[in-house]
Amino acid sequence: DAGVTQSPTHLIKTRGQQVTLRCSPKSGHDTVSWYQQALGQGPQFIFQYYEEEERQRGNFPDRFSGHQFPNYSSELNVNALLLGDSALYLCASSFGTLNSPLHFGNGTRLTVT
Amino acid sequence: AQTVTQSQPEMSVQEAETVTLSCTYDTSESNYYLFWYKQPPSRQMILVIRQEAYKQQNATENRFSVNFQKAAKSFSLKISDSQLGDTAMYFCAFMKPHVRQGNLIFGKGTKLSVKP
């Protein structure tokens, strides 16, 4: 049973460019949450998707947007990249209820130069 | 706004010994959830233990247990019989009740090294 998979593993982009990160949730999960983890910090919540809509959002600018597809997979898009967007981006999935624990992927390391 | 503070950036413990990691949080909510997550070098966050604020009893999971002091807003993690595989970053996290888990507020983490 595959867990949460994220692609790509690493990515290097130039300031001002746009990037798309992808996440496939664990089998049976329908909810995807995205986090940004800067070096030496704890993860920060970006947003959550279920039923193909953004349901919760953290304190991130509109440059950060997302999408969830009918198969529950999700994308995180970041426009007009800044140097400060360099971080590990983590995807977590869960199912249905509040008691369903989060399962995290191994993340995508984004470097903006 | 809720905040989570981990005051110990780094800790070390000898194999088979016991270690306690500290966490304090600030909230005006009466009901919430608290978590400890482990992040090894593989980068994957792994749930260690979870506590629901309305439950008085401290959660335990094998060698891991918590000391939850609601009035003091303290949530420490005790690791007994430490093993080399426990070496990792440990993050304390807070979550308000919502329909689904997802919006966790994490502390900055404690780097734990278990020495042979």
Side-chain angles (χ1 to χ4, degrees), chain B residues 7 37 44-45 47 55-56 66 72 89 91 94 108-110:
Chain B
S7 59
Y37 277 87
Q44 184 183 32
M45 299 285 280
L47 178 65
K55 290 186 176 179
Q56 299 286 347
V66 298
M89 285 292 294
F91 292 95
F94 170 100
K108 290 187 175 183
T110 295

Side-chain angles (χ1 to χ4, degrees), chain A residues 9-10 30-31 33 35 37 41-43 45 48 50 56 88 96-100 102 104-107 109, chain B residues 33 37 39 42-45 47 50 52 91 95-109:
Chain A
T9 304
H10 296 87
D30 63 355
T31 301
S33 301
Y35 289 82
Q37 186 176 17
Q41 303 292 317
F45 176 73
Q48 179 186 65
Y50 58 90
Q56 299 187 75
L88 177 68
T97 69
L98 184 59
N99 288 323
S100 170
L102 292 180
F104 282 83
N106 289 346
R109 172 73 67 190
Chain B
Y33 296 82
Y37 277 87
Q39 188 177 40
S42 67
R43 310 185 315 200
Q44 184 183 32
M45 299 285 280
L47 178 65
R50 154 184 158 148
E52 296 169 56
F91 292 95
M95 187 183 77
K96 289 193 296 183
H98 191 262
V99 175
R100 303 181 185 208
Q101 284 200 31
N103 188 354
L104 271 64
I105 300 168
F106 286 87
K108 290 187 175 183

Side-chain angles (χ1 to χ4, degrees), chain A residues 24-35:
Chain A
S24 292
K26 180 179 169 64
S27 178
H29 286 186
D30 63 355
T31 301
V32 173
S33 301
W34 286 92
Y35 289 82

